[in-house]
Amino acid sequence: MTHTAAVGSVGELRAGGGAAVMATGILSVGLHLVGDEVLSLTALAVGACWWVLLAVSFVITFFSDRTRWAAEAGTPPALTAVAATTLLGTRLSLLGWQSTAAALLALAVLVWPGLLVTVVRRADRRHLHGDIFLICVATQGIAVLGGRLSIADGSAWLGTAAVAFFCLGVVLYAVVLPRFDLRQIFTGAGDHWVAGGALAISALAGSTLLASPRWTGTAHRTLDTAALVLLALAVALWALLAYAEIRRPRLAYDVRRWSTVFPLGMTAAASLSLSASAGVMWLEPLGRVLLWIAVGAWLLTFAGLVTARVRLS
């Protein structure tokens, strides 16, 4: 994905659409956690429709223009396909649709390694943009959905696999963080927020695993501490990025702004989830505040998308 155009090519729109599904999916989860089922199911329906359209576009490109498909698959935004699929699967699991959620998990696991290896091999090792953190987000998305399904069906092996993906996601974050171009905090067009979103989804993965009765004693305490530390870092980075947005406003619409909405919603969902799983009650009101900020950001970004498309037509 290039870092120039506000609306850009079909490939950029597909990448932005993947981030939009991620943002919509996690808002659906967050709204469910605060008990607003009507808005949650509405968001789920919108995200699912968007996911289907993007999947169809992905398949059409694969068969009609293999060169373009291969080029897009080698960029970090390609991993939004994995993350979006796992987040929709997580909401479906919460809805009780375990078979469908399991099918989405299988699909995500199937495409994850190829995309991950390709993105890592092609990535510029210096001055990375925020979208590189999608290698962590996609990995933790699998941990979240895997952990959720292991709780639903009591599968021990799936719970163990979810912990492995959680640990790998944290390692991947630590590997790419020193290579992140910190100037993006004040100059990025939206995807720089993924640096915080990756921490937040890691915290959500930890919270999901905490809810499993499988992990007790030292394992439970370790997960609890790790999840709370990750959330604290995510909230701190949220505040820093918000401050940078105030100091250097970037108000024009850009497809990468969907990558801003996703971390906002993910930080809210992680706060709400950890409030229950870790027993930290004050995280619940924090999560509610962050959730409605994320909903407002989603509405503004969607309005920007519609306006941009109308101007191009």
Side-chain angles (χ1 to χ4, degrees):
M1 178 177 176
T2 61
H3 296 270
T4 54
V7 179
S9 68
V10 173
E12 288 176 313
L13 290 173
R14 251 197 305 269
V21 176
M22 291 164 56
T24 309
I26 196 56
L27 284 184
S28 180
V29 171
L31 289 164
H32 166 75
L33 292 176
V34 298
D36 198 329
E37 290 300 313
V38 173
L39 284 179
S40 176
L41 292 175
T42 300
L44 175 61
V46 172
C49 290
W50 217 327
W51 185 91
V52 170
L53 290 173
L54 291 171
V56 170
S57 174
F58 180 88
V59 172
I60 290 174
T61 303
F62 179 82
F63 287 105
S64 64
D65 193 341
R66 195 69 60 86
T67 301
R68 176 191 291 179
W69 182 90
E72 292 178 9
T75 63
L79 287 164
T80 61
V82 177
T85 299
T86 59
L87 290 175
L88 283 180
T90 298
R91 182 62 185 96
L92 291 174
S93 178
L94 291 170
L95 198 59
W97 296 15
Q98 308 307 341
S99 296
T100 306
L104 291 176
L105 175 61
L107 177 61
V109 172
L110 180 65
V111 302
W112 170 78
L115 290 176
L116 182 70
V117 171
T118 304
V119 167
V120 170
R121 287 179 60 186
R122 294 186 184 180
D124 182 358
R125 296 296 188 267
R126 300 168 297 172
H127 308 304
L128 294 172
H129 289 251
D131 59 5
I132 192 62
F133 289 101
L134 285 165
I135 67 174
C136 169
V137 172
T139 305
Q140 294 292 16
I142 293 174
V144 170
L145 180 51
R148 175 63 204 169
L149 287 172
S150 73
I151 294 171
D153 64 11
S155 174
W157 73 267
L158 191 53
T160 301
V163 170
F165 273 94
F166 168 71
C167 294
L168 176 59
V170 173
V171 170
L172 288 173
Y173 190 95
V175 168
V176 300
L177 180 60
R179 298 171 174 83
F180 174 53
D181 184 358
L182 293 177
R183 293 173 297 180
Q184 288 293 304
I185 294 174
F186 288 94
T187 63
D191 55 1
H192 57 293
W193 277 81
V194 182
L199 288 170
I201 195 173
S202 298
L204 180 62
S207 175
T208 304
L209 295 168
L210 273 176
S212 172
R214 175 176 173 77
W215 309 112
T216 59
T218 301
H220 187 275
R221 289 192 296 273
T222 301
L223 284 171
D224 181 77
T225 301
L228 288 172
V229 169
L230 288 164
L231 179 61
L233 293 172
V235 172
L237 189 50
W238 189 106
L240 173 62
L241 291 169
Y243 168 76
E245 294 279 358
I246 294 171
R247 284 291 304 272
R248 294 285 299 274
R250 285 147 275 179
L251 302 179
Y253 173 75
D254 190 293
V255 293
R256 286 162 286 182
R257 272 305 178 191
W258 289 108
S259 294
T260 298
V261 181
F262 158 70
L264 296 177
M266 184 55 73
T267 307
S271 299
L272 292 165
S273 180
L274 268 172
S275 173
S277 62
V280 184
M281 294 299 102
W282 61 266
L283 285 175
E284 197 270 344
L286 172 65
R288 284 180 177 270
V289 171
L290 295 178
L291 178 63
W292 292 112
I293 291 174
V295 170
W298 191 98
L299 292 172
L300 286 173
T301 306
F302 185 75
L305 170 63
V306 172
T307 301
R309 299 313 296 167
V310 167
R311 288 176 178 173
L312 285 178
S313 63

